[in-house]
Amino acid sequence: MTLSNPPSVLGLTTLPLAAVRDRLLDLFCEVAYKEGDFTLSSGQKSTYYINGKQVTLHPAGGMMMGRLLLDLIPREVAAVAGLTLGADPMVSGVSIVGAYSDRPITPLIVRKEAKGHGTQAYIEGPTLPAGASVIVLEDVVTTGQSAWKAVERLRGAGYTVDTILALVDRQQGGREFYESKGLKFEALFAIADIKTRYVQRQKLS
């Protein structure tokens, strides 16, 4: 997959999920994964960086991400939510894919700080019944703190949250942190998946 010659986005709506996953992995390697010296939002140093928004804001990437995440979401789940900014295109993408799949799912955006005017809300989106089941989405998980903040806000609003879904697990403590909080966690890719495919692509280029 290349940005100059992308696959038909419409074709991605019916492509088997195994092929969708394979194409999404290639897209991560092409536009989101970089090697070098980086400082992460957690303050940790890293020899690589993954900019998930390069994938989630990509037309084909958004479609593929939406289909793959939707497949992991139980039908009884009422909404998907996440901490702004990284999760914003994710919750929108899943909701749109859900709509054309006859699986309506409400998208919610969780602010980092309460809005300073109007309702001063932490959560943007339709108000759901108390106890509604909500799954938190995250693009790249390192320590797990970002998604956890969203969980706390959503629970504080009266919703039920027991699962976090991510695109990439950097395998640096996030999973263990979530498990210590009693949360289920699943990621589409581990960092090892991306590194392996990246090396394969480098050898072919």
Side-chain angles (χ1 to χ4, degrees):
M1 175 185 292
T2 64
L3 288 175
S4 58
N5 184 29
S8 164
V9 176
L10 183 60
L12 293 172
T13 64
T14 57
L15 197 68
L17 287 178
V20 171
R21 185 184 185 281
D22 197 56
R23 288 176 183 249
L24 186 61
L25 181 57
D26 274 331
L27 188 61
F28 261 104
C29 292
E30 184 176 343
V31 303
Y33 179 81
K34 306 294 181 185
E35 295 187 338
D37 295 316
F38 302 96
T39 301
L40 307 179
S41 59
S42 63
Q44 296 183 19
K45 300 293 185 180
S46 178
T47 57
Y48 67 91
Y49 180 69
I50 304 174
N51 184 351
K53 289 180 284 297
Q54 292 295 319
V55 169
T56 59
L57 290 170
H58 185 284
M63 173 63 69
M64 293 187 286
M65 166 208 72
R67 287 193 63 197
L68 290 168
L69 290 176
L70 183 67
D71 186 59
L72 299 177
I73 297 173
R75 287 191 171 269
E76 64 270 17
V77 171
V80 287
L83 192 69
T84 193
L85 173 72
D88 294 0
M90 297 181 67
V91 301
S92 297
V94 170
S95 180
I96 291 169
V97 172
Y100 77 69
S101 303
D102 198 26
R103 286 191 57 190
I105 295 180
T106 299
L108 301 174
I109 292 173
V110 182
R111 292 177 177 272
K112 294 180 180 178
E113 302 295 339
K115 187 166 58 174
H117 59 280
T119 60
Q120 299 184 336
Y122 272 110
I123 301 171
E124 295 292 348
T127 300
L128 303 174
S133 177
V134 180
I135 282 181
V136 168
L137 306 181
E138 179 73 290
D139 55 357
V140 180
V141 168
T142 304
T143 64
Q145 295 298 321
S146 293
W148 173 244
K149 182 178 291 187
V151 171
E152 290 185 305
R153 300 287 188 224
L154 292 160
R155 286 178 172 174
Y159 300 137
T160 300
V161 186
D162 63 7
T163 301
I164 293 173
L165 297 178
L167 298 182
V168 181
D169 179 7
R170 287 179 58 106
Q171 298 179 302
Q172 291 180 265
R175 177 181 296 276
E176 292 76 12
F177 174 75
Y178 295 142
E179 290 175 351
S180 75
K181 298 293 186 179
L183 292 164
K184 303 171 189 174
F185 173 66
E186 188 169 357
L188 294 181
F189 306 110
I191 185 57
D193 299 323
I194 294 177
K195 285 185 172 182
T196 297
R197 179 64 62 88
Y198 184 82
V199 170
Q200 291 171 344
R201 288 169 57 91
Q202 292 292 103
K203 289 180 179 178
L204 293 174
S205 62

